[in-house]
């Protein structure tokens, strides 16, 4: 466990990096992953920010929950920020973590000063077919059996199937993925689909009036990279495409991804309210 990791009342596992009195930056991982998926960009971000990484319920070191509804996930994150006495935070979501970030802004706009979405698919028709290894792990009747017997090699192969080119996978991410159950992962995917089916992410964000950064891999195999332009519907949205990068920019291109996040957060750093050190 990270020496800075603590458990909050949800219960939700949280890692804190950087000075507690620095402007807060919240990182929300994607489906089935954990806060460890952000490790390559944390050192750069923590040099200027109080970086907060959550493990959503059923993922990493957080226990399962009764509901994985996107709004319920957002409410749990809201409780965490209330406990930390934070508001107007820069919130960053990777992939489906962007849906939780968006729902958080919808339900508790006081907590979200700005939003950055990394590899977050904007609507259902932009989704690409699942890689073969993920289909094998998820499809019944053999998916649950394979899931229980996953080796580290198989987990790395599943993560790597979302890359455009080989990249280093943090060991902690592999270990945390072992803790994600088949039921939790399948349920999270179903709830994400339901959230998108109601209304697209750009439609939701367009009415919120929050500064928005969208970071997308130009070779993302999970979502059509051209769909990133759908976020143009959000007033003054900044869209950054990373050439030769797939679905996980923070692993495949940590330096440019970190720079984009720091640049985006910096102008608004003074607007965030930090809690006690």
């Amino acid at each position: 466990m990270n020496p800075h990791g603590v458990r909050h009342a949800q219960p939700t596992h949280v890692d804190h990096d950087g000075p507690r009195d620095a402007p807060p930056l919240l990182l929300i991982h994607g489906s089935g992953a954990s806060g460890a998926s952000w490790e390559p960009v944390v050192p750069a971000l923590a040099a200027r920010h109080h970086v907060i990484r959550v493990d959503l319920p059923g993922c990493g070191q957080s226990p399962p929950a009764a509901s994985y509804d996107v709004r319920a996930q957002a409410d749990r994150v809201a409780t965490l920020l209330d406990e930390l006495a934070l508001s107007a935070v820069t919130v960053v979501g990777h992939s489906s973590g962007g849906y939780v970030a968006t729902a958080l802004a919808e339900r508790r706009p006081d907590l979200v000063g700005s939003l950055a979405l990394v590899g977050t698919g904007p609507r259902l028709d932009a989704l690409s077919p699942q890689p073969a290894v993920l289909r094998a792990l998820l499809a019944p009747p053999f998916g649950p059996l394979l899931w229980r017997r996953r080796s580290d090699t198989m987990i790395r192969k599943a993560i790597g199937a979302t890359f455009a080119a080989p990249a280093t996978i943090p060991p902690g991410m592999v270990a945390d993925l072992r803790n994600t159950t088949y039921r939790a992962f399948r349920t999270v995917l179903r709830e994400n689909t339901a959230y998108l089916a109601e209304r697209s992410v750009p439609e939701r964000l367009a009415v919120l009036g929050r500064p928005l950064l969208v970071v997308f891999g130009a070779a993302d195999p999970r979502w059509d990279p051209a769909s990133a332009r759908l976020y143009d519907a959000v007033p003054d949205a900044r869209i950054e495409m990373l050439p030769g990068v797939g679905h996980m920019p923070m692993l495949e291109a940590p330096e440019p991804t970190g720079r984009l996040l720091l640049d985006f957060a910096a102008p608004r750093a003074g607007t965030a309210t930090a809690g006690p050190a």
Side-chain angles (χ1 to χ4, degrees):
M1 181 187 295
N2 185 304
H4 302 290
V6 295
R7 289 191 181 276
H8 294 260
Q10 280 304 318
T12 300
H13 179 82
V14 186
D15 287 302
H16 296 271
D17 296 276
R20 290 295 192 99
D21 58 352
L25 187 67
L26 173 66
L27 304 178
I28 305 176
H29 62 80
S31 300
S34 70
S37 62
W38 294 101
E39 283 182 4
V41 298
V42 167
L45 299 179
R48 302 185 194 175
H49 293 273
H50 170 199
V51 178
I52 305 154
R53 291 180 286 159
V54 299
D55 286 358
L56 295 174
C59 298
Q61 299 179 54
S62 289
S67 172
Y68 294 96
D69 176 82
V70 173
R71 295 171 185 82
Q73 303 274 45
D75 289 345
R76 294 182 186 105
V77 175
T79 297
L80 165 65
L81 294 178
D82 285 338
E83 289 177 349
L84 295 173
L86 297 175
S87 62
V89 174
T90 297
V91 181
V92 185
H94 170 248
S95 193
S96 65
Y99 307 146
V100 177
T102 299
L104 177 64
E106 290 177 309
R107 297 170 72 77
R108 290 291 305 276
D110 58 306
L111 297 179
V112 181
S114 58
L115 280 164
L117 306 183
V118 181
T120 297
R123 66 188 191 194
L124 286 177
D125 62 2
L127 183 63
S128 300
Q130 289 269 21
V133 64
L134 291 178
R135 289 200 304 273
L137 283 169
L138 293 174
F142 300 112
L145 179 62
L146 286 174
W147 192 272
R148 289 193 297 270
R149 297 185 175 183
R150 290 170 300 160
S151 64
D152 286 358
T153 298
M154 184 178 292
I155 291 173
R156 289 181 180 278
K157 184 176 180 180
I159 297 170
T162 68
F163 295 169
T168 300
I169 299 171
M173 184 179 180
V174 176
D176 282 348
L177 270 165
R178 280 195 162 282
N179 294 329
T180 302
T181 67
Y182 178 83
R183 176 188 173 278
F185 191 61
R186 284 298 300 259
T187 307
V188 165
L189 293 180
R190 184 170 64 247
E191 296 294 351
N192 292 340
T193 298
Y195 184 74
L196 279 183
E198 289 178 359
R199 194 156 72 254
S200 74
V201 182
E203 288 178 292
R204 293 174 182 276
L205 293 175
V207 298
L208 295 181
R210 293 295 183 273
L212 174 66
L213 168 68
V214 174
V215 180
F216 228 92
D220 191 328
R222 295 296 297 119
W223 297 91
D224 177 7
S227 71
R229 301 313 313 183
L230 294 171
Y231 287 102
D232 282 328
V234 183
D236 301 318
R238 175 182 172 186
I239 301 172
E240 297 285 350
M241 304 297 293
L242 297 178
V245 174
H247 187 56
M248 303 198 74
M250 64 282 204
L251 299 186
E252 300 173 73
E255 290 186 10
T257 301
R259 286 196 301 269
L260 287 171
L261 294 177
L262 284 172
D263 179 63
F264 175 68
R268 283 158 289 279
T271 66
T273 303

